[in-house]
Amino acid sequence: TDNERFILQRLHPKLSTQEILNDYVRVTDHLAENGFLAPKVIKTTNSKFIYEDKSGGWWRLTSFIEGETHEQVTSVQQAEEGARILGSFHLGMSTYAHEFESAHPLHDTVGHLQNLQKALDNPIYEQSAQLVAQAADEIIRLLNEVRLPADLPLRVVHGDPKISNVMFRDEQAVGMIDLDTCNRHTVLVDLGDAIRSWCRDGYEDEVQQFHLDRFEAILRGYANSGATLSRDEVDFLWMAGPMITLELASRFARDVMEDNYFAYNADLYASRRAHNLARMQ
């Protein structure tokens, strides 16, 4: 507009539910009250949180956060800053008293294992199952070894802490966006997802080395945020990165067979199945 900037977003159909919208408004309001930089929903002229167009699409207007995002981590400093703001987010949400209305299937490791096994056992996928059978056996075996205990403390997590959801200004992390997947889980799933995606270069279909210095930076940044982990969370922290990595591998393996979920790069791969196979490996 002439005097202010906003973000107008057409919500994905899977996010276009009243429950998710209510949670989003409460989470962003709570963060704002606690001084954490996050988008604020702007109501429509008739005091609604969304505008529904004639095709049924939901549109949401939020405040604009000044800054930039990164598609990939390229430095130790970025990893440390990202972890510091993730810890600040966990700390800010530690006093969130509302129950979540939405039920996101966040890192349901047991469910992902069951779905992979169901696909392997389904005679419809017999031919494609041969492509992943050996790797799937290894994924299932290793994932069972690094499954986080079910009795770890449940706290509010972001749910998708990829580095592109961290807002930076002059390489300092200042806030987080994409807050539609917040819910309660162990904070180790957020840390594990950060470790998985921030400690490597390139994409999931590329063989890359693990950057130990970025891993150390994540631990350092998280500690510097003031957020704390319980004794059990510290003891099981080593499992978090491998668990999230293997969980994602199980989903790629499943989609090699079902061939209906992940988008694929048609410039590099002949099919979704071929791209998922590379990502699984």
Side-chain angles (χ1 to χ4, degrees):
T1 67
D2 290 338
N3 56 4
E4 197 168 350
R5 302 175 78 185
F6 301 93
I7 296 292
L8 180 63
Q9 180 183 16
R10 188 180 194 275
L11 297 179
H12 189 285
K14 287 187 176 181
L15 299 179
S16 300
T17 72
Q18 192 61 51
E19 293 79 12
I20 293 177
L21 181 65
N22 292 345
D23 288 339
Y24 182 89
V25 172
R26 291 192 187 107
V27 165
T28 51
D29 283 349
H30 178 86
L31 290 171
E33 290 166 5
N34 285 269
F36 187 92
L37 193 61
K40 286 280 292 179
V41 179
I42 312 297
K43 289 184 179 180
T44 65
T45 51
N46 58 353
S47 298
K48 303 288 186 181
F49 285 120
I50 57 101
Y51 171 78
E52 186 172 358
D53 63 28
K54 293 180 180 178
S55 67
W58 280 23
W59 295 80
R60 182 175 65 198
L61 191 73
T62 65
S63 56
F64 179 83
I65 297 178
E66 293 285 351
E68 60 276 344
T69 59
H70 301 290
E71 284 302 308
Q72 296 178 6
V73 171
T74 57
S75 70
V76 169
Q77 181 186 357
Q78 285 175 2
E80 184 168 345
E81 278 294 301
R84 181 186 59 77
I85 207 68
L86 179 62
S88 296
F89 169 83
H90 289 158
L91 199 58
M93 292 302 295
S94 63
T95 55
Y96 185 77
H98 296 285
E99 291 297 323
F100 282 89
E101 295 183 31
S102 56
H104 294 291
L106 285 174
H107 300 297
D108 178 9
T109 309
V110 174
H112 288 308
L113 279 170
Q114 291 173 342
N115 288 332
L116 175 58
Q117 192 62 59
K118 285 179 184 177
L120 289 166
D121 294 339
N122 192 328
I124 296 176
Y125 308 128
E126 183 177 359
Q127 187 172 358
S128 55
Q130 295 175 8
L131 299 173
V132 302
Q134 185 175 350
D137 286 345
E138 186 176 3
I139 289 168
I140 292 169
R141 177 180 64 80
L142 292 173
L143 194 44
N144 277 312
E145 291 178 4
V146 294
R147 271 170 49 190
L148 292 168
D151 58 353
L152 290 173
L154 297 180
R155 293 190 258 169
V156 178
V157 300
H158 182 280
D160 189 18
K162 56 190 177 186
I163 201 64
S164 59
N165 284 334
V166 175
M167 296 298 301
F168 286 86
R169 291 178 190 160
D170 297 324
E171 291 306 308
Q172 181 178 2
V174 294
M176 298 191 76
I177 57 174
D178 199 8
L179 298 161
D180 295 282
T181 54
C182 295
N183 220 298
R184 284 187 170 84
H185 208 311
T186 167
V187 293
L188 295 189
V189 297
D190 269 358
L191 282 166
D193 214 356
I195 291 165
R196 177 198 70 81
S197 60
W198 300 359
C199 295
R200 69 191 311 279
D201 298 316
Y203 298 95
E204 279 89 358
D205 57 353
E206 299 173 343
V207 176
Q208 296 286 340
Q209 69 173 1
F210 182 84
H211 291 276
L212 185 60
D213 55 352
R214 295 185 198 170
F215 172 74
E216 293 169 339
I218 289 172
L219 302 186
R220 189 165 57 246
Y222 195 81
N224 289 340
S225 73
T228 58
L229 298 177
S230 69
R231 183 69 257 173
D232 283 345
E233 287 168 332
V234 172
D235 287 343
F236 291 110
L237 177 59
W238 72 271
M239 289 183 173
M243 188 192 82
I244 299 299
T245 302
L246 289 160
E247 186 181 284
L248 187 56
S250 76
R251 296 174 64 197
F252 289 141
R254 176 185 169 195
D255 206 33
V256 169
M257 294 177 280
E258 297 179 350
D259 193 26
N260 64 7
Y261 185 75
F262 289 104
Y264 75 97
N265 187 335
D267 293 331
L268 298 178
Y269 295 92
S271 64
R272 184 200 337 262
R273 181 164 283 142
H275 196 173
N276 278 322
L277 192 61
R279 287 187 282 205
M280 175 204 72
Q281 291 167 340

